[in-house]
Amino acid sequence: MDEPRTGVGLSDSARMHAIIEGIYAKTPYFKSMPCTIETVAVGRVRVGFDVSRHICNYRNIASGGVLAAFCDTLMGMACRTMGFQVTTLEINMNYIRSVNSGEHITGIGQVLHHGRNTIVVECECRNADGSLIVKGRSSFYILKKID
């Protein structure tokens, strides 16, 4: 994915980052995920994820369900940067390679389409070497504008 090209200035970007951090600081589910919000721009987020042993299967490989949950959260955040509260309509995941306990992955979520009632987002997660781990795409239904 290319780096974001937005007209958001530094102060707007910092404000948006603070808003997103505030939303997720109050979300019990997000508190249990080993994520760090790295960058936020309109329609795009970058989030780090530490793969710990407790989210791995018996082979010490990150659970596909946990990776899907991470991607869903990541893509939902991208929607929130557009100023909307959303709910997932559908999600598609392509698992490219496994990731082991102790590894760090970085996910980038980017809005592809913003319609009147739906938002379509894609994400890519890569390991420290830059290798693609998982690619996802999801459609979200817009519930309301965030205050």
Side-chain angles (χ1 to χ4, degrees):
M1 293 180 155
D2 296 329
E3 287 302 311
R5 295 179 192 207
T6 67
V8 177
L10 181 60
S11 62
D12 292 336
S13 182
R15 181 177 166 274
M16 189 182 313
H17 192 183
I19 289 168
I20 297 296
E21 285 275 1
I23 290 169
Y24 285 92
K26 295 183 269 184
T27 305
Y29 171 73
F30 188 72
K31 288 179 184 179
S32 69
M33 295 186 77
C35 297
T36 305
I37 300 170
E38 296 176 358
T39 61
V40 177
V42 175
R44 185 178 171 101
V45 294
R46 179 183 169 115
V47 179
F49 185 86
D50 292 316
V51 178
S52 58
R53 179 73 184 119
H54 78 281
I55 62 169
C56 292
N57 64 23
Y58 71 95
R59 294 179 298 163
N60 207 33
I61 295 171
S63 162
V66 171
L67 293 175
F70 172 60
C71 289
D72 185 44
T73 300
L74 176 68
M75 291 185 283
M77 278 184 202
C79 293
R80 284 171 184 81
T81 68
M82 305 293 290
F84 295 98
Q85 183 181 47
V86 297
T87 190
T88 307
L89 289 172
E90 61 84 28
I91 188 167
N92 173 272
M93 303 298 301
N94 293 111
Y95 300 98
I96 311 301
R97 63 178 36 87
S98 62
V99 59
N100 295 313
S101 175
E103 290 189 61
H104 178 82
I105 60 174
T106 301
I108 296 175
Q110 184 169 317
V111 171
L112 299 177
H113 171 75
H114 175 221
R116 187 167 36 114
N117 295 312
T118 61
I119 299 174
V120 178
V121 185
E122 73 176 4
C123 72
E124 289 184 353
C125 298
R126 295 181 178 272
N127 64 16
D129 296 333
S131 297
L132 186 61
I133 302 297
V134 66
K135 184 155 178 105
R137 193 172 108 168
S138 190
S139 298
F140 294 87
Y141 181 74
I142 297 170
L143 297 171
K144 68 178 187 175
K145 184 92 172 139
I146 296 174
D147 298 331

